[in-house]
């Protein structure tokens, strides 16, 4: 990264708030599940923190950070940085009154009014792509945009995606012809007891990790963020 203008002798001035402190403030909001306006006074003003967060989201900085961290974990586990297989699923989340009608919907199957998070993870359960839609959006419809995002992130090495029965239909042919992806449906066995399904438990575990964060259990954001 080039030096700021003030260091290179081209004028300019130092930023008022250290970016490390801005990052710490963002992580504090996420970890504690608080409102932006409730940010403690020993951090920079919440307007400053949110403005910087929104700017980084807009240019894809948080996605690049996520990609870099995922690659490091995969390499440390002895894997290739880019995954060759993935798993996708969705989760409907109830929305607060602060969520606008334009970005919320009703999931009749789960009886949830709010938004739906669609995710693709690698076989370790690490996030590869995320898409946020109204809860009324069908999985097989959202999957086309989700898989395009996965292709942009993981590259052409990813060739196989496991999914549940909600992704059947024309999606399978579309994925094969358009993206060169094989979408394999993992069916639930007809048994009268609970059983862990191969592959699908990985993405379901990731969804459980996400809801382990207080801010992700319920959606309060006026604008849907994908990260």
């Amino acid at each position: 990264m080039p030096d700021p203008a003030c260091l290179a002798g081209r004028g300019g001035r130092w930023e008022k708030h250290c970016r490390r402190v801005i990052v710490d403030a963002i992580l504090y909001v996420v970890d504690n599940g608080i409102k932006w306006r409730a940010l403690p006074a020993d951090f920079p003003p919440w307007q400053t923190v949110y403005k910087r967060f929104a700017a980084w989201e807009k240019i894809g900085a948080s996605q690049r950070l996520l990609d870099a961290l995922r690659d490091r974990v995969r390499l440390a586990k002895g894997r290739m940085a880019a995954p060759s297989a993935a798993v996708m699923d969705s989760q409907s989340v109830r929305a607060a009154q602060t969520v606008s009608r334009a970005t919320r919907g009703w999931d009749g199957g789960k009886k949830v009014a709010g938004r739906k998070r669609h995710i693709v993870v690698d076989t370790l359960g690490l996030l590869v792509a995320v898409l946020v839609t109204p809860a009324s959006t069908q999985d097989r419809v959202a999957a086309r945009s989700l898989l395009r995002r996965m292709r942009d992130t993981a590259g052409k090495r990813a060739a196989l995606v496991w999914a549940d029965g909600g992704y059947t239909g024309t999606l399978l042919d579309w994925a094969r012809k358009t993206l060169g992806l094989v979408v394999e449906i993992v069916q639930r066995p007809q048994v009268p007891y609970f059983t862990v399904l191969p592959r699908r438990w990985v993405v379901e575990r990731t969804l459980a990790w996400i809801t382990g964060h207080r801010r992700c259990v319920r959606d309060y954001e006026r604008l849907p963020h994908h990260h």
Side-chain angles (χ1 to χ4, degrees), residues 91-97 99 104-106 110-117 135 215-221:
Q91 181 183 55
S92 294
V93 183
R94 287 181 171 81
Q97 293 181 344
V99 174
R104 66 193 295 162
W106 172 256
K110 301 293 179 61
K111 301 294 187 293
V112 171
R115 291 188 180 128
K116 184 182 289 188
R117 56 174 70 108
R215 194 174 180 84
C216 297
V217 175
R218 190 176 180 89
D219 199 342
Y220 297 92
E221 296 297 326

Side-chain angles (χ1 to χ4, degrees), residues 190-205:
Q190 300 298 317
V191 293
Y193 53 84
F194 172 80
T195 181
V196 175
L197 299 181
R199 307 303 179 185
R200 273 179 53 184
W201 71 268
V202 176
V203 69
E204 291 168 357
R205 180 184 61 175

Side-chain angles (χ1 to χ4, degrees), residues 99-167:
V99 174
S100 67
R101 291 185 179 181
T103 61
R104 66 193 295 162
W106 172 256
D107 183 343
K110 301 293 179 61
K111 301 294 187 293
V112 171
R115 291 188 180 128
K116 184 182 289 188
R117 56 174 70 108
H118 308 262
I119 67 171
V120 175
V121 303
D122 66 5
T123 53
L124 297 176
L126 305 175
L127 284 172
V128 178
V130 179
L131 177 69
V132 179
T133 68
S136 54
T137 305
Q138 291 187 340
D139 290 351
R140 62 177 64 92
V141 173
R144 299 195 179 199
S145 296
L146 181 66
L147 291 176
R148 287 186 187 275
R149 290 191 176 197
M150 186 208 74
R151 175 62 83 212
D152 292 341
T153 299
K156 294 184 178 180
R157 187 169 186 271
L160 174 62
V161 178
W162 288 287
D164 64 21
Y167 295 92

Side-chain angles (χ1 to χ4, degrees), residues 6-225:
C6 56
L7 290 182
R10 298 192 303 273
R13 61 186 178 86
W14 291 98
E15 292 185 358
K16 184 176 181 180
H17 301 287
C18 173
R19 293 192 179 186
R20 173 72 247 189
V21 178
I22 296 290
V23 171
D24 288 343
I26 294 172
L27 294 177
Y28 187 92
V29 170
V30 173
D31 187 49
N32 289 277
I34 62 172
K35 298 183 293 185
W36 288 100
R37 293 173 184 269
L39 197 63
D42 49 348
F43 285 115
W46 74 267
Q47 298 96 326
T48 301
V49 176
Y50 181 80
K51 183 178 180 180
R52 177 62 64 180
F53 165 74
W56 285 341
E57 279 282 283
K58 188 175 182 179
I59 63 174
S62 52
Q63 180 66 54
R64 292 195 297 273
L65 177 61
L66 172 66
D67 295 341
L69 291 173
R70 183 188 61 250
D71 291 350
R72 285 191 180 188
V73 173
R74 289 184 57 83
L75 290 171
K77 295 285 187 180
R79 310 290 185 93
M80 297 285 288
S84 60
V87 197
M88 67 177 172
D89 203 354
S90 69
Q91 181 183 55
S92 294
V93 183
R94 287 181 171 81
Q97 293 181 344
T98 50
V99 174
S100 67
R101 291 185 179 181
T103 61
R104 66 193 295 162
W106 172 256
D107 183 343
K110 301 293 179 61
K111 301 294 187 293
V112 171
R115 291 188 180 128
K116 184 182 289 188
R117 56 174 70 108
H118 308 262
I119 67 171
V120 175
V121 303
D122 66 5
T123 53
L124 297 176
L126 305 175
L127 284 172
V128 178
V130 179
L131 177 69
V132 179
T133 68
S136 54
T137 305
Q138 291 187 340
D139 290 351
R140 62 177 64 92
V141 173
R144 299 195 179 199
S145 296
L146 181 66
L147 291 176
R148 287 186 187 275
R149 290 191 176 197
M150 186 208 74
R151 175 62 83 212
D152 292 341
T153 299
K156 294 184 178 180
R157 187 169 186 271
L160 174 62
V161 178
W162 288 287
D164 64 21
Y167 295 92
T168 54
T170 60
L171 173 67
L172 278 63
D173 287 337
W174 176 89
R176 186 179 68 255
K177 294 177 181 178
T178 307
L179 301 177
L181 282 172
V182 174
V183 177
E184 182 177 317
I185 304 300
V186 180
Q187 299 289 355
R188 185 173 297 278
Q190 300 298 317
V191 293
Y193 53 84
F194 172 80
T195 181
V196 175
L197 299 181
R199 307 303 179 185
R200 273 179 53 184
W201 71 268
V202 176
V203 69
E204 291 168 357
R205 180 184 61 175
T206 301
L207 290 170
W209 286 343
I210 292 173
T211 52
H213 292 274
R214 187 176 302 177
R215 194 174 180 84
C216 297
V217 175
R218 190 176 180 89
D219 199 342
Y220 297 92
E221 296 297 326
R222 297 182 186 277
L223 299 175
H225 294 291

